[in-house]
Short mmCIF file of all heavy atoms in Angstrom, two decimals:
data_model
loop_
_atom_site.label_atom_id
_atom_site.label_comp_id
_atom_site.label_asym_id
_atom_site.label_seq_id
_atom_site.Cartn_x
_atom_site.Cartn_y
_atom_site.Cartn_z
N LEU U 782 -32.13 -6.35 -1.52
CA LEU U 782 -31.12 -6.11 -0.49
C LEU U 782 -31.40 -6.90 0.79
O LEU U 782 -30.48 -7.25 1.52
CB LEU U 782 -31.03 -4.61 -0.18
CG LEU U 782 -30.58 -3.70 -1.33
CD1 LEU U 782 -30.43 -2.27 -0.84
CD2 LEU U 782 -29.26 -4.18 -1.91
N ASP U 783 -32.69 -7.20 1.03
CA ASP U 783 -33.04 -7.93 2.26
C ASP U 783 -32.47 -9.35 2.25
O ASP U 783 -32.29 -9.97 3.31
CB ASP U 783 -34.56 -7.99 2.41
CG ASP U 783 -35.16 -6.63 2.70
OD1 ASP U 783 -34.42 -5.78 3.26
OD2 ASP U 783 -36.32 -6.39 2.34
N LYS U 784 -32.18 -9.88 1.07
CA LYS U 784 -31.68 -11.25 0.98
C LYS U 784 -30.16 -11.32 0.87
O LYS U 784 -29.59 -12.40 0.77
CB LYS U 784 -32.31 -11.93 -0.25
CG LYS U 784 -33.82 -12.12 -0.13
CD LYS U 784 -34.38 -12.87 -1.32
CE LYS U 784 -35.89 -13.09 -1.16
NZ LYS U 784 -36.45 -13.85 -2.32
N LEU U 785 -29.51 -10.16 0.88
CA LEU U 785 -28.05 -10.12 0.79
C LEU U 785 -27.43 -9.93 2.17
O LEU U 785 -28.05 -9.31 3.06
CB LEU U 785 -27.60 -8.99 -0.13
CG LEU U 785 -27.99 -9.11 -1.61
CD1 LEU U 785 -27.58 -7.85 -2.36
CD2 LEU U 785 -27.33 -10.33 -2.24
N ARG U 786 -26.23 -10.42 2.31
CA ARG U 786 -25.52 -10.20 3.56
C ARG U 786 -25.13 -8.73 3.65
O ARG U 786 -24.48 -8.19 2.76
CB ARG U 786 -24.26 -11.07 3.63
CG ARG U 786 -23.52 -10.95 4.94
CD ARG U 786 -22.33 -11.89 5.00
NE ARG U 786 -21.57 -11.69 6.21
CZ ARG U 786 -20.44 -12.33 6.50
NH1 ARG U 786 -19.98 -13.24 5.64
NH2 ARG U 786 -19.79 -12.09 7.63
N ARG U 787 -25.51 -8.11 4.73
CA ARG U 787 -25.32 -6.67 4.87
C ARG U 787 -23.84 -6.33 5.03
O ARG U 787 -23.14 -6.94 5.84
CB ARG U 787 -26.08 -6.17 6.09
CG ARG U 787 -26.13 -4.65 6.21
CD ARG U 787 -26.77 -4.25 7.51
NE ARG U 787 -25.90 -4.62 8.65
CZ ARG U 787 -26.23 -4.43 9.93
NH1 ARG U 787 -27.41 -3.93 10.23
NH2 ARG U 787 -25.40 -4.78 10.87
N PRO U 788 -23.33 -5.34 4.27
CA PRO U 788 -21.94 -4.90 4.46
C PRO U 788 -21.82 -4.04 5.73
O PRO U 788 -22.83 -3.57 6.27
CB PRO U 788 -21.66 -4.08 3.21
CG PRO U 788 -22.99 -3.54 2.81
CD PRO U 788 -23.99 -4.60 3.17
N ASP U 789 -20.59 -3.86 6.17
CA ASP U 789 -20.34 -3.01 7.35
C ASP U 789 -19.99 -1.57 6.96
O ASP U 789 -20.01 -0.67 7.80
CB ASP U 789 -19.20 -3.60 8.18
CG ASP U 789 -19.51 -5.01 8.64
OD1 ASP U 789 -20.48 -5.19 9.38
OD2 ASP U 789 -18.78 -5.93 8.21
N LEU U 790 -19.63 -1.37 5.67
CA LEU U 790 -19.25 -0.05 5.18
C LEU U 790 -19.50 -0.02 3.68
O LEU U 790 -19.23 -0.99 2.97
CB LEU U 790 -17.77 0.24 5.47
CG LEU U 790 -17.18 1.54 4.91
CD1 LEU U 790 -17.84 2.76 5.57
CD2 LEU U 790 -15.66 1.58 5.10
N ILE U 791 -20.00 1.12 3.18
CA ILE U 791 -20.25 1.27 1.75
C ILE U 791 -19.57 2.55 1.25
O ILE U 791 -19.74 3.63 1.85
CB ILE U 791 -21.76 1.35 1.44
CG1 ILE U 791 -22.46 0.07 1.90
CG2 ILE U 791 -22.00 1.58 -0.05
CD1 ILE U 791 -23.97 0.12 1.78
N LEU U 792 -18.77 2.41 0.19
CA LEU U 792 -18.18 3.57 -0.48
C LEU U 792 -18.96 3.81 -1.77
O LEU U 792 -19.16 2.87 -2.57
CB LEU U 792 -16.71 3.32 -0.82
CG LEU U 792 -15.77 2.97 0.34
CD1 LEU U 792 -14.33 2.82 -0.19
CD2 LEU U 792 -15.82 4.01 1.43
N VAL U 793 -19.41 5.04 -1.99
CA VAL U 793 -20.19 5.37 -3.18
C VAL U 793 -19.33 6.27 -4.06
O VAL U 793 -19.16 7.46 -3.78
CB VAL U 793 -21.51 6.07 -2.81
CG1 VAL U 793 -22.32 6.39 -4.06
CG2 VAL U 793 -22.33 5.19 -1.87
N ASP U 794 -18.78 5.69 -5.13
CA ASP U 794 -17.94 6.48 -6.05
C ASP U 794 -18.84 7.34 -6.94
O ASP U 794 -19.92 6.92 -7.34
CB ASP U 794 -17.10 5.53 -6.92
CG ASP U 794 -16.04 6.27 -7.71
OD1 ASP U 794 -15.53 7.31 -7.22
OD2 ASP U 794 -15.72 5.82 -8.82
N GLU U 795 -18.36 8.55 -7.26
CA GLU U 795 -19.14 9.52 -8.05
C GLU U 795 -20.53 9.68 -7.43
O GLU U 795 -21.57 9.60 -8.10
CB GLU U 795 -19.25 9.07 -9.51
CG GLU U 795 -17.94 8.75 -10.19
CD GLU U 795 -17.02 9.97 -10.32
OE1 GLU U 795 -17.47 11.11 -10.11
OE2 GLU U 795 -15.82 9.77 -10.62
N CYS U 796 -20.55 9.96 -6.13
CA CYS U 796 -21.82 9.98 -5.40
C CYS U 796 -22.76 11.08 -5.88
O CYS U 796 -23.97 10.99 -5.66
CB CYS U 796 -21.56 10.13 -3.90
SG CYS U 796 -20.81 11.71 -3.42
N HIS U 797 -22.23 12.10 -6.56
CA HIS U 797 -23.08 13.19 -7.01
C HIS U 797 -24.10 12.75 -8.06
O HIS U 797 -25.08 13.44 -8.32
CB HIS U 797 -22.23 14.33 -7.58
CG HIS U 797 -21.42 13.95 -8.77
ND1 HIS U 797 -20.20 13.33 -8.66
CD2 HIS U 797 -21.65 14.09 -10.10
CE1 HIS U 797 -19.72 13.10 -9.87
NE2 HIS U 797 -20.58 13.55 -10.76
N GLU U 798 -23.88 11.57 -8.69
CA GLU U 798 -24.81 11.11 -9.71
C GLU U 798 -25.46 9.77 -9.36
O GLU U 798 -26.08 9.14 -10.22
CB GLU U 798 -24.11 10.99 -11.06
CG GLU U 798 -22.91 10.06 -11.09
CD GLU U 798 -22.26 9.99 -12.46
OE1 GLU U 798 -22.71 9.14 -13.26
OE2 GLU U 798 -21.35 10.78 -12.73
N GLN U 799 -25.35 9.33 -8.11
CA GLN U 799 -25.89 8.03 -7.71
C GLN U 799 -27.03 8.17 -6.69
O GLN U 799 -27.09 7.47 -5.69
CB GLN U 799 -24.79 7.14 -7.13
CG GLN U 799 -23.75 6.71 -8.15
CD GLN U 799 -23.04 5.44 -7.71
OE1 GLN U 799 -23.67 4.43 -7.43
NE2 GLN U 799 -21.72 5.50 -7.67
N PHE U 800 -27.96 9.08 -6.96
CA PHE U 800 -29.02 9.36 -6.01
C PHE U 800 -29.91 8.15 -5.74
O PHE U 800 -30.27 7.86 -4.60
CB PHE U 800 -29.89 10.52 -6.53
CG PHE U 800 -29.29 11.87 -6.28
CD1 PHE U 800 -28.36 12.40 -7.15
CD2 PHE U 800 -29.64 12.60 -5.18
CE1 PHE U 800 -27.80 13.64 -6.93
CE2 PHE U 800 -29.10 13.84 -4.94
CZ PHE U 800 -28.17 14.36 -5.81
N VAL U 801 -30.27 7.43 -6.80
CA VAL U 801 -31.18 6.29 -6.63
C VAL U 801 -30.55 5.21 -5.75
O VAL U 801 -31.20 4.65 -4.87
CB VAL U 801 -31.56 5.71 -8.01
CG1 VAL U 801 -32.46 4.49 -7.82
CG2 VAL U 801 -32.26 6.76 -8.85
N VAL U 802 -29.26 4.96 -5.98
CA VAL U 802 -28.55 3.96 -5.19
C VAL U 802 -28.45 4.38 -3.74
O VAL U 802 -28.68 3.59 -2.81
CB VAL U 802 -27.14 3.72 -5.78
CG1 VAL U 802 -26.35 2.79 -4.89
CG2 VAL U 802 -27.25 3.14 -7.17
N ILE U 803 -28.08 5.62 -3.52
CA ILE U 803 -27.93 6.13 -2.15
C ILE U 803 -29.25 5.99 -1.40
O ILE U 803 -29.30 5.52 -0.26
CB ILE U 803 -27.48 7.61 -2.18
CG1 ILE U 803 -26.12 7.74 -2.84
CG2 ILE U 803 -27.44 8.18 -0.77
CD1 ILE U 803 -25.77 9.15 -3.26
N LYS U 804 -30.34 6.40 -2.05
CA LYS U 804 -31.67 6.32 -1.43
C LYS U 804 -32.01 4.88 -1.07
O LYS U 804 -32.48 4.60 0.04
CB LYS U 804 -32.70 6.90 -2.40
CG LYS U 804 -34.13 6.91 -1.88
CD LYS U 804 -35.03 7.61 -2.90
CE LYS U 804 -36.46 7.68 -2.40
NZ LYS U 804 -37.11 6.37 -2.32
N SER U 805 -31.75 3.96 -2.00
CA SER U 805 -32.08 2.55 -1.76
C SER U 805 -31.28 1.98 -0.59
O SER U 805 -31.82 1.29 0.28
CB SER U 805 -31.81 1.75 -3.04
OG SER U 805 -32.04 0.38 -2.83
N ILE U 806 -29.98 2.28 -0.57
CA ILE U 806 -29.12 1.76 0.50
C ILE U 806 -29.53 2.30 1.86
O ILE U 806 -29.67 1.56 2.84
CB ILE U 806 -27.65 2.10 0.20
CG1 ILE U 806 -27.15 1.26 -0.99
CG2 ILE U 806 -26.78 1.83 1.43
CD1 ILE U 806 -25.77 1.66 -1.47
N ILE U 807 -29.72 3.60 1.94
CA ILE U 807 -30.02 4.24 3.23
C ILE U 807 -31.37 3.76 3.75
O ILE U 807 -31.54 3.51 4.96
CB ILE U 807 -29.97 5.77 3.09
CG1 ILE U 807 -28.52 6.21 2.85
CG2 ILE U 807 -30.56 6.44 4.32
CD1 ILE U 807 -28.36 7.67 2.57
N GLU U 808 -32.36 3.63 2.87
CA GLU U 808 -33.68 3.21 3.31
C GLU U 808 -33.68 1.77 3.82
O GLU U 808 -34.47 1.41 4.69
CB GLU U 808 -34.69 3.38 2.17
CG GLU U 808 -35.02 4.84 1.88
CD GLU U 808 -35.99 4.98 0.72
OE1 GLU U 808 -36.19 3.99 -0.01
OE2 GLU U 808 -36.56 6.08 0.56
N ASN U 809 -32.81 0.92 3.26
CA ASN U 809 -32.76 -0.49 3.67
C ASN U 809 -31.80 -0.72 4.85
O ASN U 809 -32.08 -1.55 5.70
CB ASN U 809 -32.34 -1.37 2.49
CG ASN U 809 -33.46 -1.64 1.52
OD1 ASN U 809 -34.22 -2.58 1.67
ND2 ASN U 809 -33.59 -0.77 0.52
N TRP U 810 -30.68 0.01 4.83
CA TRP U 810 -29.65 -0.21 5.85
C TRP U 810 -29.25 1.12 6.48
O TRP U 810 -28.16 1.62 6.29
CB TRP U 810 -28.41 -0.87 5.22
CG TRP U 810 -28.68 -2.23 4.65
CD1 TRP U 810 -29.56 -3.15 5.11
CD2 TRP U 810 -28.04 -2.82 3.52
NE1 TRP U 810 -29.52 -4.30 4.35
CE2 TRP U 810 -28.59 -4.12 3.36
CE3 TRP U 810 -27.06 -2.40 2.62
CZ2 TRP U 810 -28.19 -4.97 2.34
CZ3 TRP U 810 -26.66 -3.25 1.62
CH2 TRP U 810 -27.23 -4.53 1.47
N LEU U 811 -30.16 1.68 7.23
CA LEU U 811 -29.96 3.01 7.79
C LEU U 811 -28.73 3.09 8.68
O LEU U 811 -28.05 4.11 8.75
CB LEU U 811 -31.21 3.43 8.59
CG LEU U 811 -31.20 4.84 9.19
CD1 LEU U 811 -31.11 5.88 8.08
CD2 LEU U 811 -32.46 5.06 10.03
N GLU U 812 -28.40 1.97 9.37
CA GLU U 812 -27.30 1.99 10.33
C GLU U 812 -25.93 1.75 9.69
O GLU U 812 -24.90 1.88 10.36
CB GLU U 812 -27.54 0.93 11.42
CG GLU U 812 -27.46 -0.51 10.93
CD GLU U 812 -28.72 -1.01 10.27
OE1 GLU U 812 -29.59 -0.18 9.92
OE2 GLU U 812 -28.85 -2.23 10.09
#
Side-chain angles (χ1 to χ4, degrees):
L782 297 185
D783 292 334
K784 294 183 178 181
L785 295 175
R786 183 176 175 183
R787 189 187 68 183
D789 301 298
L790 175 66
I791 299 173
L792 303 183
V793 181
D794 190 32
E795 307 296 347
C796 65
H797 62 277
E798 58 180 272
Q799 293 203 55
F800 280 84
V801 178
V802 174
I803 298 164
K804 181 176 182 292
S805 177
I806 290 172
I807 291 174
E808 288 179 346
N809 282 272
W810 297 327
L811 183 62
E812 67 279 14

